[in-house]
Amino acid sequence: MSKRIKNLNIEDFIDITELIENKTMSKTQNREFGIKYHNILKPSKLISLWIEENRFRLPLPIKSQVILENLKLVSVILLTIFFCIGFFTGLGLLSYNGKEPVNIIYFLFFVIIIPIVSILISLFALFTVKYKDNILMDILPTFWLQKIIQWYQNSINIKIKPSFLNLIFLQRAQYLSLSFAIGLGLALILIVTTTDIAFAWSTTLNITPKEFYKMMLIISYPWSNFISSSISLELISESHYFRLGGAVNKEMILNASILGEWWKFLVLSTLFYSIFLRIIMIVILNRVFLVRLTKEILLIDGVDNIMKEIQSPIITTTSQYNETKFVQSDKKVNINKKKNNYDFILGWAMSSNEIEYFNKKLSISSQNIFEVAGNNSLEDDEKVISLLGNDILLYLKSWEPPTMDLVDFLDDLIIHIDGVVDIYLVGLDSNNLKFLPNELDIYSRWLASLENREFINLKV
């Protein structure tokens, strides 16, 4: 199968829910789909293809596209807001008036402690998403996004399990946190490249420079083997700042240029703890989300029936009368170019949406289209025939062999219109609706074997 099968996504979740509600596919059509893709056994891939091939049946505007566009706008607004909050938070933390050095403790708290705590909360929340009332979800930065999606879910009448919604919120929270961290990091880079700034550390806790140095070594361990952050015991000792007394140590003033060496350590801390670890969390959550989404789609009411119809052969009753077997002729009918406009277009075992789709792809127009065979009864087909004139095009699926039902239908049609019927073979959508040479040969010989062959034209 040359057709590429994509992973299931939120759009598929919404579309298949609507397709099932509208009951757009018959049992026969689903079985035809199953025959067409008989070599695909994995349910998720089969359903993905089924949605892709039937999406054109959805009424316009497609609900999923409208929903996702609106949610995308909300997400972009929230991402921008969190980026700005992170950027201005960084500017505030790094504010330098030239009189007192910038205390790196505050900045490290925002780029190391808060990210690690929020990631741990996210990991714990990942194992508790199945609970509807989850306090961990409320303390994540997607609280308002939760409210918007929950309101939107009720307004569009699409039911999503609370556990799955929690997973969506948890995933979005990581992107918002990443946006905040990027804003914070850009503020740091902007400050250190445009301002001559002095960094120092100050705390009420009784921590000696040697103990603080050990803590910095632990923090810098993830990148210390690859990149030097220029942190030494001497730098830490010289940058120890005491606020008591309201004055700056004279030695710090003399060594102000050295204190600026902290910038590399701060940048690497931001990149690793705030950005890199968050990206790892996003990758993990995206993988879990994909697995859970696939599971949720397969559990939607009606999907199991679709899978049964796709995979189960249709057993029909046997006629009490022996039909006359037609013998395929060695002769062939003439094949002519199709017209671009017909008064009437029929689709054999096709829905009106399929017929319109074929018309658009093949640049054929008509004011009157009708479905025949498929879900139609014999009485339905007879009623359609009674409405027809003489300028008729009949679509046939090229990969399906001709049947006696089709022969009977053509006989009745030719008698009614007292004219000629044009037949057009429609190939697979994956082949741009082009039939295969052997399919054309089969139909050409079959039409040549019919008694009414002079009233039938095969068009290409």
Side-chain angles (χ1 to χ4, degrees):
M1 180 65 60
S2 58
K3 191 169 184 178
R4 184 177 179 272
I5 305 173
K6 64 180 183 60
N7 292 325
L8 292 166
N9 53 37
I10 289 290
E11 183 181 6
D12 295 326
F13 181 92
I14 299 171
D15 286 345
I16 194 172
T17 301
E18 193 173 6
L19 285 168
I20 291 172
E21 288 178 355
N22 296 341
K23 298 180 179 179
T24 54
M25 289 288 283
S26 67
K27 185 176 181 180
T28 303
Q29 290 170 319
N30 282 334
R31 182 53 189 158
E32 289 174 356
F33 173 86
I35 294 172
K36 180 179 174 182
Y37 295 107
H38 64 278
N39 58 331
I40 297 178
L41 302 178
K42 193 172 182 179
S44 60
K45 292 184 177 181
L46 207 54
I47 285 296
S48 177
L49 275 174
W50 187 90
I51 297 170
E52 194 67 29
E53 295 216 348
N54 291 284
R55 188 170 275 122
F56 73 93
R57 303 175 186 277
L58 294 170
L60 297 175
I62 297 178
K63 185 185 291 185
S64 62
Q65 294 178 356
V66 175
I67 293 171
L68 293 178
E69 284 176 3
N70 291 338
L71 292 180
K72 182 179 179 181
L73 177 61
V74 173
S75 298
V76 169
I77 292 173
L78 287 175
L79 286 171
T80 304
I81 291 173
F82 272 77
F83 174 84
C84 293
I85 292 173
F87 183 79
F88 288 108
T89 299
L91 293 181
L93 292 172
L94 300 171
S95 178
Y96 180 58
N97 57 15
K99 296 180 180 180
E100 294 182 356
V102 173
N103 192 350
I104 65 169
I105 299 293
Y106 297 141
F107 192 82
L108 292 178
F109 179 80
F110 275 87
V111 299
I112 297 179
I113 304 300
I114 290 181
I116 290 177
V117 170
S118 67
I119 287 174
L120 291 175
I121 291 175
S122 298
L123 285 173
F124 189 73
L126 183 59
F127 295 100
T128 59
V129 291
K130 60 182 179 179
Y131 301 111
K132 181 179 179 180
D133 298 321
N134 193 334
I135 191 173
L136 293 175
M137 304 305 301
D138 293 333
I139 64 178
L140 290 171
T142 50
F143 178 78
W144 290 110
L145 183 61
Q146 293 180 50
K147 300 304 178 185
I148 293 171
I149 292 179
Q150 287 170 349
W151 169 82
Y152 209 77
Q153 177 193 1
N154 296 329
S155 66
I156 61 179
N157 195 29
I158 291 181
K159 296 181 179 179
I160 304 177
K161 292 181 180 179
S163 59
F164 188 54
L165 275 178
N166 286 339
L167 189 58
I168 295 175
F169 303 146
L170 186 59
Q171 183 193 42
R172 294 298 182 270
Q174 308 311 309
Y175 287 103
L176 296 182
S177 298
L178 179 62
S179 181
F180 176 88
I182 292 173
L184 197 66
L186 287 178
L188 172 62
I189 293 173
L190 178 66
I191 290 294
V192 299
T193 54
T194 60
T195 306
D196 186 12
I197 188 170
F199 296 101
W201 61 279
S202 177
T203 176
T204 305
L205 301 177
N206 187 20
I207 299 177
T208 64
K210 189 173 183 180
E211 291 171 336
F212 193 74
Y213 175 65
K214 291 180 179 178
M215 292 171 58
M216 296 302 101
L217 289 180
I218 294 173
I219 291 174
S220 63
Y221 180 78
W223 64 82
S224 60
N225 292 327
F226 309 99
I227 304 173
S228 173
S229 53
S230 304
I231 298 300
S232 62
L233 180 58
E234 180 185 3
L235 174 62
I236 290 176
S237 299
E238 291 177 353
S239 59
H240 192 185
Y241 169 54
F242 296 94
R243 293 181 179 273
L244 296 176
V248 180
N249 190 310
K250 293 182 179 180
E251 291 186 6
M252 292 188 68
I253 297 176
L254 296 174
N255 297 305
S257 60
I258 300 177
L259 303 183
E261 293 296 319
W262 276 102
W263 73 268
K264 185 183 292 187
F265 177 84
L266 298 179
V267 169
L268 291 173
S269 297
T270 304
L271 288 175
F272 182 80
Y273 292 101
S274 292
I275 296 178
F276 178 73
L277 291 185
R278 187 68 63 180
I279 292 174
I280 295 297
M281 189 65 191
I282 289 174
V283 171
I284 293 172
L285 272 171
N286 284 347
R287 179 59 185 169
V288 174
F289 180 79
L290 178 61
V291 173
R292 187 60 185 274
L293 175 62
T294 302
K295 182 180 178 181
E296 288 296 325
I297 289 178
L298 294 177
L299 289 175
I300 293 175
D301 291 339
V303 172
D304 55 341
N305 290 331
I306 293 174
M307 291 299 300
K308 288 178 183 177
E309 291 176 358
I310 289 174
Q311 297 173 336
S312 302
I314 298 176
I315 301 175
T316 57
T317 56
T318 304
S319 174
Q320 296 178 354
Y321 305 96
N322 293 325
E323 290 184 335
T324 303
K325 296 181 180 179
F326 85 87
V327 179
Q328 191 164 283
S329 171
D330 291 332
K331 300 178 181 179
K332 297 183 179 180
V333 295
N334 292 327
I335 302 173
N336 303 310
K337 292 288 183 181
K338 62 177 173 61
K339 299 190 299 182
N340 293 326
N341 183 271
Y342 287 87
D343 292 337
F344 304 92
I345 293 183
L346 311 179
W348 184 262
M350 300 176 187
S351 68
S352 57
N353 285 334
E354 284 181 292
I355 298 171
E356 291 176 352
Y357 175 71
F358 296 149
N359 285 346
K360 184 178 180 181
K361 291 279 286 188
L362 299 170
S363 299
I364 300 175
S365 60
S366 176
Q367 296 298 320
N368 304 289
I369 61 173
F370 296 96
E371 306 172 23
V372 292
N375 293 329
N376 283 16
S377 63
L378 292 176
E379 291 76 15
D380 293 333
D381 288 346
E382 290 173 359
K383 184 177 180 180
V384 170
I385 290 175
S386 67
L387 300 173
L388 302 177
N390 288 335
D391 189 22
I392 297 174
L393 176 67
L394 174 63
Y395 284 134
L396 298 179
K397 296 175 181 177
S398 64
W399 66 89
E400 293 183 351
T403 63
M404 289 306 298
D405 289 340
L406 179 57
V407 175
D408 294 338
F409 176 81
L410 287 172
D411 288 341
D412 293 341
L413 181 58
I414 290 170
I415 292 172
H416 172 75
I417 65 173
D418 192 24
V420 178
V421 179
D422 287 350
I423 289 180
Y424 189 91
L425 298 179
V426 180
L428 297 174
D429 192 42
S430 59
N431 197 33
N432 201 25
L433 303 184
K434 295 179 181 179
F435 49 77
L436 300 178
N438 65 309
E439 294 171 343
L440 177 63
D441 184 65
I442 290 172
Y443 267 92
S444 176
R445 293 179 184 276
W446 171 74
L447 290 172
S449 69
L450 301 181
E451 294 180 359
N452 292 323
R453 57 182 174 272
E454 65 270 21
F455 301 107
I456 301 172
N457 292 326
L458 191 58
K459 299 289 185 176
V460 293

